[in-house]
Amino acid sequence: MTTRPRTPAPGTPAPGKLALPELAEMKRRGDRIVMITAYDAPSGRIADDAGVDLVLVGDSAAMVVLGHDSTVPATVEEMIMLTRAVNRGARRPLVIADLPFGSYQVSDEQAIETAIRFVKEAAADAVKLEGAGPMLSRVRALTSAGIPVMGHIGLTPQTATMLGGFKAQGRNASKAVRLYEDALALEAAGCFAIVLEAVPSPVASRIAEALTVPAIGIGAGAGCDGQVLVWHDLLGLYEGTPPRFVKQYAELAPAIRAAVERYASEVRDGAFPEPKHTYSMSDEELALFDAALAEARAT
Ligand code: KIV
């Protein structure tokens, strides 16, 4: 059995934790960065054991874990609880907490207060926020407070309505230029990495080339410095039609359903539990127990 070190004090990198500056080094060396979402301790641990570099506690949790139709309803309390759980499982990967909608848009002060909660209460290594423009001052404020920030542009699910729905972004020259400028502005504001979601591959490649910090793609092609996928999408746990950028590496939902169906049927027909699933008692103690019951019944 592996022993895991205790969770360190907030803000203190755990022993063996990937160092944040290593990400830019990986980009420089051309080593692709692997990022995945996770929402609980077992998935954090599996991601760590599988050698993943970055674990994002995404507000996609609102959809894939909490059953909402969008990421918007995710709350700070929910995200803190999930981040804390992931952190108990993931030791080497940097654990990045998504700031939920409404927890950072109001002001720089609000963003700092929210992010500090993630660092202190959930031991998050970094936070992620969506957008550029007015969000640049949030990035500056957070990094000045010592909190590493990952940017996220392109399809930004928290503001998908403003973007006309869940669709690819930067598909004409002027919108592509805007994305390019936003990425450079986020880097200049202090982001240590930037997620590019649902962006045409040639646009993402040019952005990745222009940045010194890593561009992490999701639906942005192979020219990015790393890739991210949502845990439930990758494992086939979230049923329904996945976005075209998802590659399913397993189809776990049918396997899980079949296992639960078998369990239900074995409980109903008495095949489970078998003697090996329960505990024995010596004949002598059983006889004493029966005698005690008989005596109790007689009085
Ligand atoms: O919330 C999330 O899972 C994300 C990823 C898709 C990047 O933001």
Side-chain angles (χ1 to χ4, degrees), residues 105-116:
Q105 283 86 355
V106 176
S107 64
D108 290 353
E109 290 69 28
Q110 186 207 24
I112 294 175
E113 277 170 17
T114 305
I116 283 176

Side-chain angles (χ1 to χ4, degrees), residues 37 56 58-60 98 128 152 195 197 218 228 230:
T37 70
L56 171 68
D59 61 356
S60 48
D98 235 347
K128 175 167 87 57
H152 181 163
V195 169
E197 178 164 354
I218 174 162
V228 56
V230 167

Side-chain angles (χ1 to χ4, degrees), residues 35-39 56-62 64 71 79 98 128 130 150-152 155 157-158 195-197 216-218 228-231 233 245:
M35 172 160 145
I36 193 169
T37 70
Y39 313 99
L56 171 68
V57 188
D59 61 356
S60 48
V64 299
T71 61
M79 293 299 297
D98 235 347
K128 175 167 87 57
E130 294 186 6
M150 172 177 266
H152 181 163
L155 171 53
Q158 293 180 2
V195 169
L196 303 177
E197 178 164 354
I216 310 291
I218 174 162
V228 56
L229 278 179
V230 167
W231 183 268
D233 289 342
F245 53 72

Side-chain angles (χ1 to χ4, degrees), residues 59-73:
D59 61 356
S60 48
M63 300 174 77
V64 299
V65 176
L66 302 176
H68 294 292
D69 289 336
S70 82
T71 61
V72 169

Side-chain angles (χ1 to χ4, degrees), residues 156-216:
T156 45
Q158 293 180 2
T159 46
T161 311
M162 294 272 285
L163 301 174
F166 286 84
K167 53 187 199 191
Q169 301 296 308
R171 297 186 81 180
N172 65 40
S174 65
K175 288 188 173 152
V177 168
R178 179 75 191 272
L179 276 181
Y180 186 94
E181 288 172 353
D182 283 349
L184 291 181
L186 282 167
E187 171 170 303
C191 283
F192 70 86
I194 299 170
V195 169
L196 303 177
E197 178 164 354
V199 172
S201 166
V203 176
S205 301
R206 284 160 179 72
I207 293 174
E209 276 166 27
L211 292 172
T212 58
V213 297
I216 310 291

